[in-house]
Amino acid sequence: MFKRVLLVYISLFCACFFTQAQTPEIDLTQAVIIDVRTDAEWKIAHIEDVSLIPWEDIVAATDKLQLDKSKPIALFCRSGNRAGKAMALLNAAGYTQVVNIGSLEQAAERLDKPIIY
């Protein structure tokens, strides 16, 4: 148990150093796209047809959805920081194709979808 907790903390610490360029590319048309911001942030602006799961709840929520751990998952938030933390948590939980696509604006551009205000 201690080793798992330590691994999660190390992963979260390392997530601060992930950049978009360091993450593997995935086919976003095949990926589950998840906004990891808060509900309050989502109400202000969001991308159409994208799931909202706050980063702290990401592992429990993806497990509840029974996602295949090899299914591509793309995460974003306001700046990319929380998406990096969520990515580290999912990687520690055994998900193998998780990417941080950055901020809300970067995600909208990469997904070619409008931001709804």
Side-chain angles (χ1 to χ4, degrees), residues 15 18 24-25 35 51 62 99:
F18 282 115
E25 286 297 315
D35 182 340
S51 299
T62 52
V99 295

Side-chain angles (χ1 to χ4, degrees), residues 33-78:
I33 311 297
I34 303 173
D35 182 340
V36 299
R37 298 174 305 144
T38 65
D39 186 53
E41 290 173 299
W42 186 89
K43 287 177 182 174
I44 294 169
H46 61 275
I47 297 173
E48 187 175 47
D49 300 325
V50 171
S51 299
L52 172 69
I53 302 173
W55 79 270
E56 301 96 333
D57 303 328
I58 195 73
V59 174
T62 52
D63 286 348
K64 186 176 180 180
L65 293 171
Q66 298 180 337
L67 290 180
D68 180 341
K69 292 194 176 194
S70 64
K71 175 95 173 142
I73 300 173
L75 309 169
F76 68 91
C77 60
R78 183 180 53 80

